[in-house]
Amino acid sequence: MHLNYHFFKFLCPALQSEISGGTVVACFSQNKEELIIEIKRRDGRPFYIRALLLPSNPCLSFPKDFKRSKKNNVDLFPEAIGKKITELRLLSFERAFYFILDEDQALLFKMHGSRSNILYFSEKEDLPSNIFRKELKEDQTIKIQGLEKDLTLTWERFKELEGNASQFLPTLGKLPRAWLKEAGYLEAGLEERFSLMTELLAMMEVPFFSIFKKNDNYLLSLLPYQSAIASTSDPLEACNLYFQKAVVRKNFESVKNQLLRNLNERRKKTLNYIHKTRDKLESMEKEPPPSQTADVIMANLHQIPSGADKVDLFDFYTNSTREIILKRGLSPQKFAEQLYKKSKNKKIEFDQLRKNLAQKEMDLDEIAKEEETINYSEDFRSIKTLLKKENKFSTAKPQVQLPYKRFEVEGFEVWVGKSAKANDELLRRYTWKEDIWLHAKDVSGSHVIIKTQSGMTPTKQVLERAAALAAHYSKNKTASLAPVIYTPCKYVRKVKGSLPGAVMVDREKVILIKPEGPEEM
């Protein structure tokens, strides 16, 4: 609920009391998805806003201090520098709020999940003049007043909607909806449903915030939670606690688990080497050294016919006669010399294997010690040495891997899912309702998305090229002509429990197209 309207109802007044009348003195970024805003308050003290807009988990936090690096940073929103913040407004029933600056300018925080962004308006009634995440091209057509919603939370409207919670209050979010479901909302009658909805809204009017962990993810809730990791009545502190857990702690746990996986892999390889080496040493110990065969040859030289390939000789080591295979082209003396040399090398190999075995057994002890260190570690500082040793991880935030390939057709971006799971993520996190969805008909393949732009409709040629890509990235790629279905994303939905990539589609149209890959275009 850290991006929920009901949480922002508490956050915005608290933020207003801190920064109203303050002046924006710096806007900069040190990481691709992070914006830092420094505000000089009326009493001269600095106030920092950190907007981390990772598509996977965007969030806001308010560090008490922030040290700007001397390199690898860039200034942003120069229009806002030196402007005074006159007011902060929360948009009605919307996950967005904005600062009003001097001369009726505005800085909008649009916290829409994976499409979160920060926009600057030279005139707050106009279109944005600057945006932070420029890849979200549809944000260039946003108007602040167009985001606000007008909802009437009355019994009459509830009856009219037949108790549909999502229609009655679309701002609820996952956790409140889960609370309603657990309370028996779906089975209840209309009046009982309204009573549950009223009870839920009353709980969300209490300024008490809990941070808890569920399925390895950290969550912030306005609802009471028995096993909360942390709780507070201060919304600014709640944001900072959430950032520490959901970003810093989550990142640490990810690195920690990766280190443990690497150690486990090292252990497997080390144990495998130890087992094989022990078997080889045991085999070598059972075999007589080549020098014994050389001794037998040299003791019986007078009995070996010239040019013989093999000979039966008395072995005084075993007190029996045995067959010895000689090496063609070498005299018995020269062959014996080779055997003496081989025996010497075998002894060197034997000693080296024992040395290697001892080292690998020491490595196992070292791996156990490192695992213990990691298991008891609680921050990056405690595993700093191990991180350097691995040389594969750092305390930097992990780069988000996009689930799609990106192409451009006549100014429109066309995205192609990389796999079945990537198709689900693409549809869930990276599309909006008016984007065009395409897929090869009746065969497995990639989801293809045409990113639409306000006021611009994809031409027939754009649609055909996107369809050709959908056919190419499917099991119909070798067909001369392939049918491809397409429809706006709002008519594509994921059915709970279905296989990765599987969806239900309404109101689709079909186009016949020749499959063509990007290189053919």
Side-chain angles (χ1 to χ4, degrees):
M1 292 184 72
H2 65 290
L3 301 180
N4 188 283
Y5 162 75
H6 301 279
F7 175 67
F8 285 167
K9 282 173 64 178
F10 298 105
L11 176 64
C12 288
L15 199 53
Q16 163 106 0
S17 66
E18 291 285 348
I19 64 174
S20 182
T23 303
V24 179
V25 296
C27 288
F28 60 93
S29 179
Q30 297 181 173
N31 296 298
K32 183 181 178 182
E33 307 291 353
E34 183 181 70
L35 177 67
I36 306 297
I37 302 173
E38 182 182 353
I39 298 166
K40 185 179 180 181
R41 290 183 275 201
R42 285 176 294 183
D43 60 6
R45 292 178 299 134
F47 185 87
Y48 297 94
I49 300 174
R50 172 169 45 204
L52 183 64
L53 303 186
L54 286 168
S56 58
N57 187 23
C59 61
L60 298 172
S61 60
F62 310 96
K64 292 182 179 179
D65 192 15
F66 193 93
K67 301 296 182 183
R68 184 173 183 175
S69 66
K70 294 181 180 179
K71 56 182 180 179
N72 298 329
N73 63 75
V74 59
D75 289 308
L76 297 170
F77 295 119
E79 314 96 319
I81 306 303
K83 298 291 191 301
K84 182 178 288 188
I85 300 171
T86 59
E87 191 178 351
L88 188 150
R89 291 183 184 174
L90 171 64
L91 295 175
S92 178
F93 295 104
E94 180 55 83
R95 293 172 295 167
F97 59 89
Y98 63 98
F99 302 161
I100 299 178
L101 306 174
D102 289 343
E103 303 167 7
D104 207 32
Q105 300 179 32
L107 191 64
L108 174 70
F109 289 73
K110 178 180 77 83
M111 306 305 292
H112 287 190
S114 62
R115 294 181 291 111
S116 295
N117 206 354
I118 297 177
L119 301 82
Y120 189 85
F121 295 79
S122 298
E123 295 287 340
K124 71 179 180 68
E125 304 298 331
D126 208 345
L127 295 175
S129 58
N130 199 355
I131 63 176
F132 178 58
R133 292 179 62 193
K134 300 190 185 304
E135 72 272 17
L136 299 179
K137 295 182 179 179
E138 60 267 25
D139 284 359
Q140 295 172 350
T141 62
I142 282 180
K143 286 192 173 184
I144 293 177
Q145 59 270 31
L147 292 173
E148 285 201 288
K149 298 177 180 64
D150 184 20
L151 299 180
T152 305
L153 305 182
T154 61
W155 163 247
E156 287 72 20
R157 182 168 174 270
F158 191 81
K159 280 197 302 182
E160 183 183 329
L161 296 172
E162 298 179 347
N164 187 310
S166 296
Q167 292 182 14
F168 180 71
L169 192 56
T171 58
L172 278 177
K174 292 182 180 179
L175 295 178
R177 284 200 298 269
W179 184 90
L180 287 173
K181 186 176 180 181
E182 290 175 7
Y185 189 87
L186 298 179
E187 299 81 17
L190 197 60
E191 291 186 2
E192 187 180 351
R193 283 189 178 190
F194 189 70
S195 177
L196 287 171
M197 180 66 73
T198 304
E199 181 183 351
L200 175 65
L201 289 174
M203 283 192 290
M204 292 197 297
E205 290 296 324
V206 178
F208 190 77
F209 318 103
S210 299
I211 310 290
F212 63 96
K213 192 175 184 179
K214 184 177 182 181
N215 299 329
D216 291 329
N217 290 315
Y218 291 94
L219 303 171
L220 184 151
S221 178
L222 274 165
L223 304 177
Y225 197 81
Q226 290 183 347
S227 303
I229 298 170
S231 56
T232 178
S233 57
D234 182 349
L236 298 176
E237 184 183 2
C239 286
N240 290 339
L241 286 170
Y242 179 79
F243 178 84
Q244 285 299 319
K245 297 297 183 182
V247 178
V248 179
R249 181 69 189 181
K250 179 88 173 178
N251 186 28
F252 168 72
E253 289 174 354
S254 176
V255 172
K256 179 177 174 177
N257 291 335
Q258 184 63 56
L259 282 173
L260 289 172
R261 285 193 292 269
N262 289 350
L263 285 176
N264 190 47
E265 190 64 29
R266 277 175 54 194
R267 176 188 283 103
K268 287 180 181 178
K269 290 180 179 179
T270 303
L271 285 171
N272 187 45
Y273 178 88
I274 288 173
H275 293 322
K276 287 184 176 180
T277 302
R278 283 176 176 167
D279 290 343
K280 187 172 183 179
L281 285 170
E282 186 178 349
S283 175
M284 290 173 69
E285 286 172 345
K286 290 179 180 179
E287 292 176 355
S291 61
Q292 287 188 15
T293 302
D295 290 342
V296 172
I297 292 172
M298 293 304 291
N300 295 281
L301 276 177
H302 60 286
Q303 296 184 27
I304 302 174
S306 179
D309 291 335
K310 57 184 178 180
V311 63
D312 292 328
L313 299 174
F314 178 74
D315 186 343
F316 50 84
Y317 285 105
T318 61
N319 200 28
S320 63
T321 299
R322 72 182 177 97
E323 183 182 70
I324 295 176
I325 307 297
L326 301 173
K327 194 167 185 179
R328 184 177 296 180
L330 283 182
S331 66
Q333 294 94 328
K334 287 289 185 183
F335 182 51
E337 284 181 20
Q338 282 194 354
L339 290 175
Y340 283 127
K341 187 174 182 180
K342 185 177 180 181
S343 187
K344 183 180 179 181
N345 289 339
K346 190 173 182 180
K347 183 179 184 306
I348 294 172
E349 181 187 7
F350 191 85
D351 292 341
Q352 187 61 49
L353 286 174
R354 281 194 171 281
K355 185 178 179 181
N356 291 348
L357 184 60
Q359 181 60 53
K360 291 297 181 181
E361 288 171 342
M362 290 173 61
D363 288 348
L364 273 183
D365 292 337
E366 185 64 27
I367 288 170
K369 290 177 182 177
E370 289 181 8
E371 273 187 333
E372 186 177 5
T373 299
I374 293 170
N375 284 324
Y376 283 102
S377 63
E378 292 297 328
D379 54 40
F380 281 110
R381 186 178 301 174
S382 57
I383 57 173
K384 185 177 180 181
T385 303
L386 294 177
L387 286 170
K388 288 182 179 179
K389 183 177 179 180
E390 287 291 326
N391 198 26
K392 293 180 181 179
F393 311 98
S394 70
T395 57
K397 297 174 183 64
Q399 294 295 313
V400 175
Q401 295 295 318
L402 294 175
Y404 57 82
K405 301 174 184 177
R406 180 183 294 173
F407 304 100
E408 184 169 337
V409 180
E410 294 185 4
F412 285 84
E413 287 194 3
V414 178
W415 296 351
V416 179
K418 293 180 178 178
S419 66
K421 288 185 178 180
N423 286 338
D424 286 346
E425 188 178 358
L426 171 61
L427 191 63
R428 183 174 68 252
R429 295 181 176 274
Y430 293 85
T431 60
W432 74 300
K433 61 182 181 180
E434 297 303 331
D435 291 340
I436 305 300
W437 175 90
L438 304 95
H439 196 284
K441 183 175 174 63
D442 298 330
V443 295
S444 60
S446 293
H447 291 197
V448 175
I449 304 295
I450 302 174
K451 297 296 292 179
T452 58
Q453 304 171 33
S454 181
M456 295 180 64
T457 304
T459 63
K460 181 181 179 183
Q461 187 175 11
V462 172
L463 184 65
E464 288 176 348
R465 288 192 175 183
L469 285 171
H472 175 79
Y473 289 101
S474 76
K475 290 201 172 180
N476 278 341
K477 68 179 295 183
T478 57
S480 55
L481 280 177
V484 173
I485 59 175
Y486 66 95
T487 190
C489 285
K490 62 186 176 183
Y491 298 127
V492 183
R493 65 186 188 278
K494 183 76 180 173
V495 178
K496 187 175 182 179
S498 60
L499 294 172
V503 294
M504 291 288 290
V505 185
D506 299 323
R507 304 189 191 183
E508 77 270 18
K509 296 180 181 178
V510 181
I511 182 172
L512 277 173
I513 200 74
K514 177 184 176 183
E516 288 185 341
E519 64 282 350
E520 297 169 287
M521 293 184 177

